[in-house]
Amino acid sequence: MNFENLDVWKRSARLSADIYKATAELRDFGFRDQLTRSGLSVPSNIAEGMSRDSSKEKRRFLDIARSSLSEARTQIYIGIDICYIQKDLGVKWLAETRELHAMLNSLKKTLV
């Protein structure tokens, strides 16, 4: 299965790029770095996992991607609270992380 054809990979890569663009001017480098890293980890782990041979390894990397989504979601909540992320944009990103999480769960179930 080619990861580049997966909607979950495409959408998570788009979210990661959106996070990078939206936080490019943020001067809190620690926060920005943590958020961009967790966002970047999602499509990266999907790609790495789906390139593995065994279903067990694929599922493990999808679990890592889900964990990174949870990390990013936490940082988005905090970013909204401390006014680093505009509320409407943050709410959009939060909804996307929830949908991506569900998509990863579904994909994981197909790997027997």
Side-chain angles (χ1 to χ4, degrees):
M1 183 179 305
N2 185 341
F3 71 87
E4 293 161 311
N5 295 328
L6 295 171
D7 285 338
V8 69
W9 177 82
K10 292 175 189 175
R11 286 175 61 174
S12 63
R14 190 174 317 118
L15 176 61
S16 179
D18 289 347
I19 289 170
Y20 268 93
K21 291 174 194 172
T23 61
E25 302 298 318
L26 188 61
R27 297 187 63 137
D28 184 336
F29 303 114
F31 180 85
R32 184 178 73 195
D33 185 58
Q34 192 70 27
L35 177 56
T36 55
R37 283 176 185 260
S38 62
L40 183 61
S41 178
V42 179
S44 299
N45 278 292
I46 294 168
E48 186 170 355
M50 296 313 291
S51 299
R52 298 294 175 127
D53 290 329
S54 77
S55 291
K56 181 179 179 180
E57 282 186 295
K58 288 176 182 174
R59 286 192 305 270
R60 183 171 68 88
F61 279 93
L62 294 180
D63 283 339
I64 294 168
R66 286 187 318 168
S67 297
S68 293
L69 269 174
S70 296
E71 182 182 352
R73 187 178 312 135
T74 297
Q75 293 155 3
I76 293 165
Y77 276 118
I78 293 167
I80 293 168
D81 284 348
I82 61 177
C83 299
Y84 282 179
I85 300 170
Q86 293 176 352
K87 186 170 184 172
D88 59 334
L89 180 60
V91 167
K92 178 182 162 192
W93 287 350
L94 291 169
E96 183 67 355
T97 61
R98 288 184 198 99
E99 289 182 30
L100 290 168
H101 196 274
M103 292 171 79
L104 286 170
N105 283 340
S106 295
L107 178 58
K108 189 177 170 192
K109 288 177 185 174
T110 68
L111 304 171
V112 242

